[in-house]
């Protein structure tokens, strides 16, 4: 019987406190390796291992590329590096970001699930959006176990809620999670389900390549040929930010055009070129009216940039997935 001897823990916003509590509650001599990913900016100092080292009895250190998995220690992902498991060893990678993150919770979960199968337990802690849900579905499909922090206890409940919805993971307070991890061993679940990819109508926000929709369990997941991967929630958030930026740029351009053409119209009128002045004044009025419409869209309807309309994600405005171009 296969023993569950690897624990992969993922966290994002609010995750430091959750990780401290979880690692601090795990016993010395834990018969499992603990792998930790916290979503942090690339420029942040590599200090998480030292913080967690002080939390409890287990030794904690930054992961090293190529080292074997050893029971009874905690390995932490380094900033701007994915943490993976390949052929029973730890690997560090500067591969494509997932949902804008490197390190990524989903990258760790997915690689560990493929390498370890039913040996793996995946744990999703505090965080916003839905990172860890797709990776948790892969863990479950490969025979592993998935657990989630109780959303009511988490500082940010997005990731635990998404994981629970995608995998049916039990929602447990940190203390109960630690007890479950320390006690659980030997359970073998169902064999993995093949992953099927189909091209979608959507493009990757990072490289603008076509996104393929992955059938990896509950929820939709997208990946481009370059390797960037997105959940629906992450893709909507990224597209929302891009749309808002584009609207502000359009507003600035329209207001600049209105001001410049108005100045040209005044100069033409002062020089006696009335026809030119009239044409330029009309252009200035049109640009000003368009700028007013965009400004009202941004100011009066701030949620427009974060719409859940599928057409926002399509290659062409107003064209939803599955329709002929």
């Amino acid at each position: 019987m296969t023993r569950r001897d690897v624990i992969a823990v993922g966290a994002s916003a609010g995750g430091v406190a959750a990780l401290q509590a979880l690692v601090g509650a795990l016993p010395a001599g834990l018969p499992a390796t603990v792998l930790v990913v916290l979503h942090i900016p690339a420029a942040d100092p590599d200090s998480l291992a030292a913080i967690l080292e002080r939390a409890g009895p287990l030794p904690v250190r930054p992961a090293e590329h190529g080292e074997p998995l050893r029971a009874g220690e905690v390995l932490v992902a380094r900033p701007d590096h994915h943490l993976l498991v390949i052929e029973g060893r730890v690997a560090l990678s500067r591969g494509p970001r997932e949902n804008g993150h490197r390190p990524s919770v989903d990258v760790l979960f997915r690689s560990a699930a493929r390498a370890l199968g039913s040996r793996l337990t995946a744990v999703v802690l505090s965080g916003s959006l839905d990172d860890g849900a797709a990776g948790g579905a892969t863990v479950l499909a490969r025979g592993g176990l998935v657990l989630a922090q109780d959303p009511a206890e988490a500082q940010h409940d997005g990731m635990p809620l998404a994981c629970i919805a995608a995998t049916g993971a039990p929602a447990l307070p940190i203390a109960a999670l630690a007890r479950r991890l320390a006690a659980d061993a030997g359970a073998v679940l169902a064999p993995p389900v093949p992953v099927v990819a189909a091209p979608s109508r959507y493009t990757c926000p990072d490289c603008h390549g076509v996104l393929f929709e992955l059938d990896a369990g509950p929820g939709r997941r997208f990946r481009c040929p370059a390797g960037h991967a997105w959940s629906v929630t992450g893709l909507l958030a990224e597209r929302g930010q891009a749309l808002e930026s584009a609207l502000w740029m359009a507003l600035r351009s329209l207001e600049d055009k209105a001001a410049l053409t108005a100045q040209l119209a005044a100069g033409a009128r002062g020089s006696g070129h009335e026809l030119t002045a009239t044409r330029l004044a009309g252009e200035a009025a049109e640009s000003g009216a368009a700028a007013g419409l965009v400004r009202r869209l941004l100011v009066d309807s701030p949620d427009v940039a974060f719409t859940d309309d599928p057409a926002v994600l399509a290659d062409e405005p107003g064209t939803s997935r599955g329709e002929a171009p």
Side-chain angles (χ1 to χ4, degrees):
M1 181 175 288
T2 302
R3 181 182 177 86
R4 283 209 173 96
D5 57 356
V6 179
I7 301 166
V9 185
S12 189
V16 174
L19 285 167
Q20 285 178 295
L22 180 65
V23 172
L26 294 174
L30 181 77
T33 308
V34 181
L35 306 174
V36 173
V37 163
L38 174 68
H39 289 161
I40 52 176
D44 274 19
D46 195 359
S47 59
L48 180 61
I51 293 172
L52 298 182
E53 174 81 36
R54 298 190 292 269
L58 288 174
V60 185
R61 57 186 176 80
E64 297 288 346
H65 182 77
E67 67 177 310
L69 300 173
R70 302 182 186 91
E73 66 180 11
V74 181
L75 303 179
V76 178
R78 295 178 178 272
D80 202 32
H81 288 77
H82 289 310
L83 176 61
L84 305 94
V85 178
I86 300 176
E87 296 181 350
R89 291 181 175 270
V90 169
L92 301 179
S93 167
R94 294 289 301 278
R97 294 175 176 84
E98 295 215 8
N99 274 359
H101 297 295
R102 186 172 60 214
S104 162
V105 173
D106 281 316
V107 168
L108 171 60
F109 285 4
R110 188 171 60 250
S111 70
R114 290 172 177 168
L116 303 168
S118 58
R119 294 171 58 191
L120 178 66
T121 299
V123 181
V124 175
L125 301 180
S126 174
S128 56
L129 297 181
D130 62 351
D131 301 284
T138 302
V139 171
L140 197 63
R142 298 275 176 165
L145 176 67
V146 182
L147 305 173
Q149 183 181 7
D150 185 349
E153 179 190 74
Q155 290 185 32
H156 295 266
D157 62 7
M159 281 176 51
L161 284 172
C163 177
I164 293 165
T167 67
L172 302 172
I174 291 291
L177 276 174
R179 290 193 297 270
R180 176 73 179 269
L181 293 174
D184 184 72
V188 178
L189 301 179
V193 175
V195 176
V196 179
S200 74
R201 300 266 319 168
Y202 312 143
T203 56
C204 175
D206 283 343
C207 68
H208 308 295
V210 65
L211 286 172
F212 286 77
E213 186 167 355
L214 307 181
D215 180 14
R220 296 165 71 189
R221 185 81 175 170
F222 300 92
R223 182 181 297 278
C224 72
H228 303 112
W230 299 88
S231 66
V232 172
T233 303
L235 189 58
L236 281 170
E238 187 71 17
R239 282 298 178 84
Q241 293 172 5
L243 177 59
E244 187 174 19
S245 297
L247 286 172
W248 281 112
M249 184 177 296
L251 176 62
R252 289 194 297 269
S253 297
L254 287 167
E255 289 181 338
D256 286 349
K257 182 180 179 182
L260 287 170
T261 50
Q263 289 178 0
L264 291 173
R269 186 168 286 109
S271 300
H273 301 295
E274 195 60 38
L275 289 177
T276 300
T278 300
R279 177 177 59 80
L280 290 171
E283 292 182 11
E286 290 177 359
S287 297
L293 288 173
V294 175
R295 180 171 290 279
R296 285 195 295 275
L297 182 66
L298 284 164
V299 175
D300 297 340
S301 304
D303 292 335
V304 69
F306 302 97
T307 177
D308 58 2
D309 184 353
V312 173
L313 297 177
D315 295 334
E316 299 175 0
T319 303
S320 61
R321 185 173 182 268
E323 295 177 347

